[in-house]
Amino acid sequence: MGSLSSRVLSHPGRARAQQDPGSGAGGSARRPESGDDAAAHGFFNCLGSRKRKRSRGAFCYCHPDSETDEDEEEEDEQQRLLNTPRRKKLKSTSKYIYQTLFLNGENSDIKICALGEEWNLHRIYLCQSGYFSSMFSGSWKESSMNIIELEIPDQNIDIEALQVAFGSLYRDDVLIKPSRVIAILAAACMLQLDGLMQQCGETMKETVNVKTVCGYYTSAGTYGLDSVKKKCLEWLLNNLMTHQNVELLKELSINVMTQLIGSSNLFVMQVEMDVYTALKKWMFLQLVPSWNGSLNQLLTETDVWFSKKRKDFEGMTFLETEQGKPFVSVFRHLRLQYIISDLASARIIEQDSLVPSEWLCSVYKQQWFAMLRAEQDSEVGLRLASFDSSGKLICGRTTGYQILTLEKDQEQVVMNLDSRLLSFPLYICCNFLYISPEKRTENNHHPENPEN
């Protein structure tokens, strides 16, 4: 920027304001004394002032009182700025501590040895760890030793994980890669570093996906991160049936799959038969983990493999064999009553010979009695009711027993309601039995009864 100066302009014959002899291009100009004629007339050049930015040679006419007000406002503003605290993190301090004390090991008073590696550390920093705090304050023999050999029983812990864990004692921020989070969590758990464990948990919850969910679920159970375990289970319930993956099916344990199939929150896009099919493919991959085909090939390969196995069943279903018994707890959670309601599905499940016949017989019996009860008993069908605030019935309607034949996407009116007689909220209860029509083929026709 150019030089900034102020001059007092006087009428002819009057003295001009003298510039400070010592001021140069960057010097400051002397303001006129209060007794100067120019100042008395309130007539001076405001070149470079903040009030007149558009023209360097512009003049401004300022009343002495307004000048005083501006000075006071400027002084108040300066005082406000001087008394307003400014927060600034001194990153250099944290970096200096980490570099000098941890990485360089200066002024170290204790050496930690583990997995063939050594760390020159400081007791005062190690006491942030519950593990070392107990060691130094208790009656352990290591409490007075300057060199400590750590036993690492957890195979998830490696040198890199210990480096991150020890380093976290010397800095206030740690970057955790999802690929390293389980190892770091294991080290943090062993050293009782609650803050680092919490940060590992947050990283895991933010990065749950098809590749990490099983490992995260297992580790969360091992190291006591219940919130991560819950997050993984929610992800599996939402994605197991909607986004199937060969590698995921291989990784899912019997215990986890039992929880998923037994949960009412399992997201099933189509029908219960899809759950059975998924379990069949999953069981095949558990038994043949070396299989590495595509998802499109998986069902065909599964059916071929179990078809060959049936020759060795000797009249038993697969779940009754020694090889199949470990999977019984999972298949027990199938809603078989919904599978056998469809003829094609019922035939497939009979042909596969995976599920014990006793399971199916009990379901067939249950469904048969349900159908008889619907046809011959006093089922009310669809019932509608409305109650007042005390629970007293205001109005109620029932459809009674009805038989409806529905084509695809067809609608049927089962009850007409007069809105003038209704009081909201309305409670609706439905009892219905869905019977799928049998698709007749040439193989199903018998000469003696061609119209069957």
Side-chain angles (χ1 to χ4, degrees):
M1 297 179 61
S3 60
L4 186 64
S5 62
S6 298
R7 294 178 300 163
V8 175
L9 302 181
S10 61
H11 293 285
R14 295 182 181 175
R16 293 184 179 181
Q18 297 296 320
Q19 186 176 8
D20 187 351
S23 64
S28 59
R30 180 181 66 84
R31 297 187 65 190
E33 299 293 339
S34 59
D36 291 348
D37 291 340
H41 285 79
F43 182 45
F44 62 90
N45 189 335
C46 293
L47 176 62
S49 71
R50 61 184 179 183
K51 292 290 184 180
R52 305 289 292 184
K53 293 184 178 179
R54 290 183 296 178
S55 174
R56 290 180 57 87
F59 295 101
C60 63
Y61 298 86
C62 303
H63 192 279
D65 292 341
S66 65
E67 180 183 359
T68 303
D69 293 342
E70 289 180 2
D71 290 343
E72 291 178 353
E73 290 178 0
E74 184 175 355
E75 184 177 352
D76 291 342
E77 177 67 14
Q78 291 176 351
Q79 288 295 328
R80 186 186 67 81
L81 292 174
L82 289 173
N83 289 284
T84 301
R86 290 286 185 264
R87 297 183 181 275
K88 186 174 181 182
K89 183 179 179 181
L90 298 177
K91 295 183 179 178
S92 58
T93 303
S94 177
K95 289 181 179 179
Y96 177 82
I97 292 174
Y98 183 75
Q99 179 67 43
T100 306
L101 299 184
F102 178 64
L103 295 181
N104 298 343
E106 293 187 14
N107 299 320
S108 170
D109 58 1
I110 190 169
K111 180 181 290 186
I112 304 297
C113 304
L115 301 177
E117 189 70 21
E118 296 179 351
W119 288 268
N120 294 313
L121 304 176
H122 308 78
R123 289 175 180 268
I124 192 171
Y125 283 94
L126 287 176
C127 283
Q128 297 174 85
S129 157
Y131 178 84
F132 286 108
S133 179
S134 299
M135 176 186 292
F136 296 152
S137 61
S139 58
W140 293 18
K141 64 177 182 179
E142 290 87 353
S143 61
S144 60
M145 296 172 60
N146 295 327
I147 300 177
I148 297 177
E149 294 279 350
L150 285 185
E151 294 291 335
I152 309 296
D154 192 336
Q155 295 182 352
N156 286 329
I157 302 175
D158 55 21
I159 294 175
E160 184 180 348
L162 287 175
Q163 177 77 2
V164 174
F166 289 140
S168 69
L169 301 173
Y170 291 80
R171 64 196 312 177
D172 53 7
D173 60 334
V174 180
L175 296 178
I176 302 175
K177 297 179 181 178
S179 60
R180 298 293 307 153
V181 68
I182 293 178
I184 296 173
L185 173 62
C189 185
M190 189 194 86
L191 299 177
Q192 300 174 33
L193 300 174
D194 295 339
L196 186 58
M197 287 183 64
Q198 183 178 359
Q199 187 172 348
C200 287
E202 294 301 318
T203 300
M204 293 167 79
K205 285 189 286 188
E206 292 172 0
T207 56
V208 175
N209 57 52
V210 67
K211 294 183 178 180
T212 63
V213 63
C214 290
Y216 284 0
Y217 181 88
T218 301
S219 299
T222 302
Y223 302 114
L225 295 182
D226 292 338
S227 61
V228 175
K229 190 174 180 180
K230 180 181 178 181
K231 187 76 172 181
C232 292
L233 195 62
E234 289 176 353
W235 188 96
L236 287 169
L237 288 170
N238 292 333
N239 292 274
L240 176 65
M241 298 299 302
T242 57
H243 300 85
Q244 289 190 19
N245 178 279
V246 172
E247 294 304 318
L248 177 61
L249 290 175
K250 285 183 180 181
E251 289 187 66
L252 287 172
S253 66
I254 292 177
N255 178 53
V256 174
M257 189 61 88
T258 301
Q259 293 185 63
L260 296 176
I261 304 303
S263 174
S264 59
N265 293 322
L266 180 65
F267 198 97
V268 181
M269 287 293 293
Q270 299 295 332
V271 292
E272 189 72 12
M273 185 61 181
D274 294 338
V275 181
Y276 168 81
T277 304
L279 284 186
K280 183 168 60 172
K281 293 185 289 187
W282 165 77
M283 184 165 60
F284 165 71
L285 291 173
Q286 298 296 305
L287 296 168
V288 192
S290 60
W291 188 84
N292 59 358
S294 67
L295 184 63
N296 292 333
Q297 301 170 322
L298 181 54
L299 181 57
T300 301
E301 292 291 330
T302 298
D303 286 336
V304 170
W305 192 86
F306 281 113
S307 177
K308 293 178 181 178
K309 282 288 182 179
R310 277 198 295 272
K311 300 176 182 178
D312 305 325
F313 287 176
E314 298 179 355
M316 294 189 297
T317 60
F318 184 77
L319 293 180
E320 293 175 302
T321 66
E322 290 300 320
Q323 201 172 14
K325 284 181 179 179
F327 304 96
V328 168
S329 60
V330 183
F331 279 80
R332 273 289 189 188
H333 289 289
L334 281 173
R335 280 76 164 173
L336 293 174
Q337 65 271 27
Y338 303 127
I339 294 177
I340 66 170
S341 296
D342 177 74
L343 180 59
S345 299
R347 284 176 173 167
I348 290 174
I349 203 169
E350 289 278 0
Q351 181 181 347
D352 286 346
S353 294
L354 300 179
V355 178
S357 56
E358 289 80 3
W359 297 11
L360 295 174
C361 288
S362 64
V363 177
Y364 288 141
K365 181 179 179 180
Q366 174 186 343
Q367 291 296 85
W368 175 249
F369 277 110
M371 186 175 65
L372 292 178
R373 186 170 59 251
E375 290 183 350
Q376 302 175 18
D377 208 346
S378 58
E379 294 285 359
V380 295
L382 187 149
R383 182 176 58 179
L384 180 145
S386 179
F387 306 90
D388 63 14
S389 59
S390 64
K392 181 181 178 181
L393 180 66
I394 299 175
C395 66
R397 295 280 301 279
T398 62
T399 62
Y401 177 71
Q402 296 185 12
I403 298 177
L404 302 175
T405 302
L406 300 175
E407 299 295 334
K408 183 178 181 181
D409 298 327
Q410 182 182 357
E411 295 182 359
Q412 287 274 14
V413 177
V414 295
M415 181 185 293
N416 287 311
L417 303 172
D418 188 344
S419 60
R420 296 172 299 177
L421 303 177
L422 299 178
S423 177
F424 291 93
L426 298 175
Y427 297 86
I428 301 175
C429 177
C430 301
N431 295 311
F432 61 91
L433 176 65
Y434 167 73
I435 302 176
S436 175
E438 182 175 356
K439 296 180 180 179
R440 289 178 292 181
T441 63
E442 292 183 359
N443 295 333
N444 291 335
H445 289 178
H446 301 282
E448 65 274 15
N449 189 9
E451 300 298 328
N452 183 31

